[in-house]
Amino acid sequence: MNAALLTLAVPKGRPLGPTLDLLARAGIGSARSLAESRSLVAVLPEAGMRFILARPSDVPTYVEHGAADLGIVGKDVLAEGRHQVYELLDLGYLRCRFVVAGPAGTDPTRLLDGAGHLRVATKYPRVAEEYFRRRGIQAEVIYLAGSVEVAPQVGLADLIVDISETGRTLAENGLVVLDTVMESTARLIANRASYRLRGERIAPFIQALREAVSGAPAV
């Protein structure tokens, strides 16, 4: 590994396009080539950077363990993973929200008044447990790897906690949003040691992203 290069872990898949758009606005237009590359590790010498393309849920792991100095990942991933990284900047895209949803016609006041015992299906057990604990509601959190929308239909759970962007998938499965747990956007994160030891190298990159987010021209 070339220590002079700044290594950034970026999420592949659907988040990659808007991430490369942001990097281009920050003055790293050559990063757009990552979209056409089949390699998951790429060096852009002209930018002085190395890129790791990773699953969104794996980005904080690369950063936490020092394989990457920095990473771009959704707040939803950070909230569930609770990795030991610094969260530096709200990048403002990949906007979605954690929601509590239940069958249409559900009275949210009755269900969320804490009087009864709830079963909640989710792919995000830490976020769900924290939400219900904070509200003083007794809830049995049931982990599912996917398709949590099915759980209330088949009697596995009373409610779900899941990510929602438009609410369309919830509606198609007869569910409505009862409460918002938290909003989520993409965040710039840093390895703690890199942030301390490579501050002079990292600071200009943070500033370029900050200006790109705010709409100021990259210098």
Side-chain angles (χ1 to χ4, degrees), residues 11 23 69 140 169 171:
L23 292 173
D69 300 298
E140 176 187 359
T169 302

Side-chain angles (χ1 to χ4, degrees):
M1 174 178 166
N2 187 337
L5 296 172
L6 194 63
T7 300
L8 175 68
V10 295
K12 63 181 184 178
R14 190 178 59 82
L16 182 60
T19 298
L20 298 183
D21 289 343
L22 174 68
L23 292 173
R25 296 200 305 277
I28 311 173
S30 57
R32 290 192 189 281
S33 64
L34 299 177
E36 300 166 359
S37 172
R38 297 183 67 84
S39 174
L40 298 179
V41 179
V43 175
L44 300 180
E46 67 279 13
M49 298 190 70
R50 183 177 75 143
F51 292 84
I52 299 173
L53 278 70
R55 289 179 54 158
S57 59
D58 289 339
V59 166
T61 302
Y62 284 100
V63 176
E64 180 177 16
H65 292 279
D69 300 298
L70 300 165
I72 291 177
V73 67
K75 178 67 177 177
D76 55 319
V77 175
L78 297 174
E80 181 62 23
R82 300 178 188 177
H83 294 82
Q84 299 300 305
V85 297
Y86 288 139
E87 187 178 316
L88 303 179
L89 190 61
D90 183 346
L91 301 174
Y93 68 102
L94 300 181
R95 191 171 295 278
C96 62
R97 56 180 178 151
F98 275 111
V99 299
V100 180
T106 299
D107 178 359
T109 304
R110 184 184 63 79
L111 264 181
L112 300 176
D113 63 3
H117 179 82
L118 294 174
R119 289 183 300 166
V120 181
T122 185
K123 290 178 282 189
Y124 307 96
R126 284 181 168 175
V127 171
E129 287 169 359
E130 172 62 20
Y131 169 82
F132 287 103
R133 185 194 61 76
R134 196 170 60 243
R135 295 184 59 117
I137 298 174
Q138 213 175 11
E140 176 187 359
V141 175
I142 302 169
Y143 172 76
L144 290 177
S147 302
V148 295
E149 301 87 354
V150 176
Q153 296 182 45
V154 299
L156 178 63
D158 304 295
L159 303 172
I160 69 168
V161 170
D162 203 10
I163 293 289
S164 178
E165 293 183 34
T166 65
R168 179 178 174 182
T169 302
L170 296 176
E172 289 176 344
N173 287 279
L175 301 172
V176 295
V177 174
L178 303 179
D179 196 10
T180 296
V181 178
M182 63 175 286
E183 304 282 346
S184 174
T185 52
R187 307 299 168 97
L188 176 67
I189 60 174
N191 172 270
R192 293 185 172 190
S194 292
Y195 187 73
R196 290 196 307 272
L197 300 175
R198 309 196 67 193
E200 290 185 4
R201 180 71 179 83
I202 289 173
F205 181 73
I206 296 173
Q207 182 61 24
L209 285 186
R210 183 176 287 113
E211 291 175 357
V213 170
S214 68
V219 179

